[in-house]
Amino acid sequence: MTKNLTTINQFIDKSIGEWKSIRSTHTLAFQEFENSTSKIYIKSINSKNKKVIEIFKNYKLILNLENIAISIKWQAFSDWEEDNMSEGDETILIFLPKDENSGIVLRNKGYTESFISSSNYFFDEQNNLNIKTIYKSKVVDERISFLSTHIRSRFSTIRNLENNSVIQTSHTSEIRNLASLKD
């Protein structure tokens, strides 16, 4: 029995909006953990956007208007910050589907290393989006699931590329801001 797998277009359409994120990060090597909350804004962006064009130039690829591009902005507050300082940033993701259920993600900056990076993605039989990124010294595996229409769950694991040891794990619950849907 084969289940219908989600397509990247369907997953992104469900993800558009404003989310409140509650994240717990465990750094195993130092036996430390961090709790943080964030506001996350996910929106579609046009393939002709200058940031999208710049990413294609950096990868030396020809712009394809069939690709799916999103902007993810966030403002995070961590319990590690003594003076309650917040940290914010933005990343652009471009999804290049190979088929309905898998493909490549181009980013203007990586998840763990702050330079352009690419990842492979696929949907599993439970319709979870799985993303794997290989950096110079680390491998990051991420799984994003919809628990309901307005609740997402994200798990990530960072491993040392040389010996495959687990460096860090994190779990994030993301709750959609329903008030933002009325705009």
Side-chain angles (χ1 to χ4, degrees):
M1 179 172 128
T2 304
K3 293 184 177 184
N4 291 335
L5 299 178
T6 300
T7 66
I8 194 61
N9 290 20
Q10 294 167 329
F11 195 89
I12 288 174
D13 286 347
K14 287 173 60 175
S15 298
I16 299 300
E18 180 183 323
W19 300 82
K20 179 177 181 179
S21 165
I22 304 165
R23 180 177 178 160
S24 178
T25 302
H26 302 242
T27 304
L28 303 177
F30 301 111
Q31 297 183 9
E32 294 179 333
F33 68 94
E34 172 190 15
N35 290 316
S36 60
T37 58
S38 303
K39 284 191 177 181
I40 300 172
Y41 307 91
I42 302 173
K43 69 177 188 172
S44 293
I45 56 176
N46 190 300
S47 293
K48 295 179 183 178
N49 179 293
K50 66 181 181 179
K51 292 177 183 178
V52 172
I53 293 168
E54 186 66 30
I55 292 170
F56 272 91
K57 284 181 185 176
N58 287 337
Y59 282 97
K60 298 179 175 57
L61 295 173
I62 297 170
L63 182 63
N64 180 346
L65 299 178
E66 302 292 315
N67 299 312
I68 305 135
I70 61 172
S71 163
I72 302 175
K73 291 183 182 181
W74 64 91
Q75 192 70 35
F77 302 90
S78 169
D79 65 0
W80 275 6
E81 302 293 333
E82 292 178 19
D83 51 4
N84 288 330
M85 294 281 293
S86 68
E87 183 179 313
D89 206 347
E90 176 186 20
T91 190
I92 305 297
L93 281 70
I94 304 169
F95 292 86
L96 310 171
K98 291 181 188 175
D99 56 43
E100 272 194 1
N101 306 110
S102 67
I104 296 171
V105 182
L106 305 178
R107 304 173 191 233
N108 65 326
K109 67 180 89 172
Y111 178 71
T112 63
E113 298 179 16
S114 194
F115 52 84
I116 66 169
S117 65
S118 64
S119 310
N120 290 309
Y121 76 84
F122 71 92
F123 287 96
D124 60 28
E125 290 185 1
Q126 289 78 39
N127 293 319
N128 300 313
L129 175 61
N130 294 271
I131 301 173
K132 182 175 196 148
T133 310
I134 300 174
Y135 295 99
K136 291 178 183 175
S137 64
K138 298 176 187 104
V139 176
V140 178
D141 289 299
E142 245 185 310
R143 185 179 74 233
I144 306 168
S145 310
F146 274 92
L147 304 178
S148 72
T149 303
H150 303 297
I151 300 174
R152 294 182 356 153
S153 178
R154 214 165 15 110
F155 293 94
S156 65
T157 305
I158 301 172
R159 295 179 181 273
N160 180 311
L161 187 59
E162 186 176 319
N163 63 14
N164 203 34
S165 62
V166 176
I167 299 169
Q168 188 178 79
T169 63
S170 69
H171 173 255
T172 307
S173 296
E174 298 171 345
I175 304 156
R176 188 187 309 273
N177 178 351
L178 296 178
S180 70
L181 296 176
K182 296 176 185 174
D183 295 337

